[in-house]
Amino acid sequence: MDPSIQIRLPIEGMTCASCVARVEKALKAVPGVMGAEVNLATETATVMLAASARPQSLVEAVHKAGYEARLGPAPLAPATDRSWWPVAAGAVLSLPLLLPMVIQPLGVAWSLPGWVQLLLATPVQFVLGARFYRAGWKALLARTGNMDLLVALGTSAAYGLSVYTLIRHWGHGMAHYYFEASAVVITLVLLGKWLEGRAKRQTTEAIRALQALRPERARVRRDGREVELPLEALAVGDAIVVRPAERIAADGKVLEGRTHVDESLITGESLPVAKGPEDRVTGGSMNGEGLIVVRATAVGAQSVLARIIELVESAQAHKAPIQRLVDRVSAVFVPVVVAIAAATFLAWGLAAGQWEQALLNAVAVLVIACPCALGLATPAAVMAGTGVAAKYGVLIKDAEALEIAHGVRVVAFDKTGTLTLGRPTLVVLEAADGDRAAALALAAAVQSGSEHPLAKAVVAAAKKEALPVPVAEEVTVAPGRGVQAKVGGRRLAVGSSRWMQELGVDTSPLDERRVAVERQGQTASWLADLSGAPRIIALLGIGDELKPEAAEAVAELARRHIETVMLTGDSRVVADAIAARVGIHSVRAEILPEDKARVMQELRQGHGVVAMVGDGINDAPALAAADIGFAMGSGTDAAMHAAGVTLMRGDPRLVAAAIDISRRTYAKIRQNLFWAFVYNVVGIPLAALGLLNPVVAGAAMALSSVSVVTNALLLKRWKPGA
């Protein structure tokens, strides 16, 4: 199978959902394209392309469809916009045309001469409105339609009727013209697009804020002196000097100095975090009061900040599943509207003989129809929701994860590193023969080949006591069970009580002590000699403190009527003790990593949508098997890759926060789609019945898309726990 690559193309010229459908159709027709998604709000296309295919063919396909595209990163919309002048020019030229309509209810009958109205309306129609003609013509060439075509047809009809009337009645007194309809509609649509653009720029503030965290240069120690380098020149291993109030240029570990670091824009942590030698720091965070030297461990695209930006961009670029309904509607929207306008014109003209009124009603139908509101309803809410979530340390991988999370009914928590701090320490070591030091040295030798937190606790204890640790050979890891190794010619094993039973090891000499250890919430592990007849060497009791926020996180989920379950490979006694302290009533203990995926299926059948929260490699299968996975940012890359949501601070309270922003975002999507559909379902018939003049219809069209984006922007006020 041909490997694929993902390409993101900036697309220029799209104005509505019909444009999105046309660009997607054009891209999917390119040989080698495996999938394509186009986002109106971000004005980008995300394409999965076979590695053997030609990327330039994508640009050519988009151009043939009537739009512009280019290879390379999509430029972020600038924070400020100077494209207001067409709106201002349109307003200056249109207001004199609109004034007679405003003062007529006051009993003042006044209007400009026809030739003056022609002079005012013509530049609006053909200069300021040229964009609608260009885009509409391209749509016609592609045998489709879009919002621009509707505006061009509607305003051209009103303008043409006015010119016809002017010529017909030239020199025969005053006649009624419709120049104000064409000019004001174009001005209002331009105003709407400008306001829409301003609102859309606000949805990208999260990305813009994250990108602004990257310093342009870094101060590095090389060859005994400090030199300034551009960020692109940094390499792993560089010693970066960070002065007070400077941003840290790359991920790394502190070599020298002590300080407090503000990580709020990256992790959502509101308070500065104390940092000293060997502490990890994240590129983009702000150094506090002290000068520090940081050894770079990740730079460029491998940094945490780069990955965060990539996740947020990915979430904002992909479609939510609910968008499929919109895509089906938008595919036929413009042709249906044109057909309704034609039927309106013929019905009024043939039935009443009022051809001028018939034309105006048809114009109103064309103008009030707003496919852009449908196109923006979902992506605007997704962009706002994922953006504000990222601000508080909740990274949502894609729109599908956002949509799924709103329906979560049960949350399954891993124990170690998720509900606990993930920094276990050896609390108890009881040797069967009384030689504690020898037993600890042997256990550390076996565990030195494992990356499990419990193993690290044993190794750390041996180092702390400065014990000589022998070299282990033939190390084999049994996931969820323990580790075997050959030490000094002896086959040794360190692992759980369950594994000891499977290996035929008699643990009865220390079973009573094991029960006491587990009742205190400590994990019991055994060191056994498998050479000859299996026998117990020592019992190890390893403790891990609960996260201070764990109980609050469970309580918050309970308040939202979400059930919680704890999944752990630990013994039933330990699991029950920990669960009781945090308020979890359902516990699945003594389960292997591969069994967690099966438990996910069982929970799904009994409860509905299931979420899994974990941090380790052993949690990856369960995170992938759940309807949606929540990975702790402090955990492994494997866990974060398998999860749909990453919690940057490793704070379990963010699970409830992620579900909350998901529910609020989904509610905004539903609100936006409801009003977008209702607007068109109600507005088009009213226009067809002659109850709306083109000016009012134009104002309604302009405001419809603006209102959808503005409603989505209300999500920016969200805060966790609010």
Side-chain angles (χ1 to χ4, degrees), residues 219-228 241 243 291 293:
R219 194 176 295 102
V220 178
R221 285 183 183 173
R222 286 186 178 177
D223 301 324
R225 60 190 183 92
E226 292 185 8
V227 294
E228 278 202 8
V241 180
R243 294 174 180 172
L291 186 146
V293 180

Side-chain angles (χ1 to χ4, degrees), residues 293-323:
V293 180
V294 176
R295 178 76 69 193
T297 57
V299 298
Q302 303 304 313
S303 67
V304 169
L305 181 58
R307 286 158 56 196
I308 291 173
I309 293 172
E310 184 182 0
L311 276 173
V312 176
E313 287 179 336
S314 175
Q316 296 186 345
H318 287 79
K319 290 184 180 180
I322 199 172
Q323 183 71 17

Side-chain angles (χ1 to χ4, degrees), residues 5 85 105 118 162 177 183 234 242 248 278 310 384 472 474 514 537 677 698:
I5 56 174
W85 72 265
L118 176 66
S162 301
Y177 308 107
L234 282 181
V242 188
I248 299 169
E278 294 302 308
E310 184 182 0
E474 301 176 16
R514 173 189 59 81
I537 298 176
F677 277 113

Side-chain angles (χ1 to χ4, degrees), residues 694-712:
V695 172
V696 174
M701 178 192 185
L703 291 173
S704 62
S705 57
V706 177
S707 62
V708 163
V709 181
T710 303
N711 185 46

Side-chain angles (χ1 to χ4, degrees), residues 67 95 127 219 272 359 431 446 472 499 536 548 580 641 650 663-664 678 692 721:
Y67 303 89
L95 283 176
V127 178
R219 194 176 295 102
L359 184 60
V446 177
W499 196 33
I536 283 294
H641 182 74
R663 289 178 175 180
R664 291 174 187 255
V678 167
L692 293 174

Side-chain angles (χ1 to χ4, degrees), residues 520-542:
Q520 294 175 4
Q522 298 165 8
T523 300
S525 190
W526 301 93
L527 170 64
D529 189 346
L530 304 182
S531 307
R535 64 181 183 86
I536 283 294
I537 298 176
L539 166 70
L540 295 84
I542 300 169

Side-chain angles (χ1 to χ4, degrees), residues 657-675:
I659 294 172
D660 183 52
I661 187 60
S662 172
R663 289 178 175 180
R664 291 174 187 255
T665 304
Y666 193 70
K668 288 297 181 189
I669 291 173
R670 293 178 65 179
Q671 291 169 17
N672 283 351
L673 287 176
F674 173 79
W675 287 114

Side-chain angles (χ1 to χ4, degrees), residues 82 236 415 687:
R82 302 187 183 276
V236 172
K415 178 176 74 70

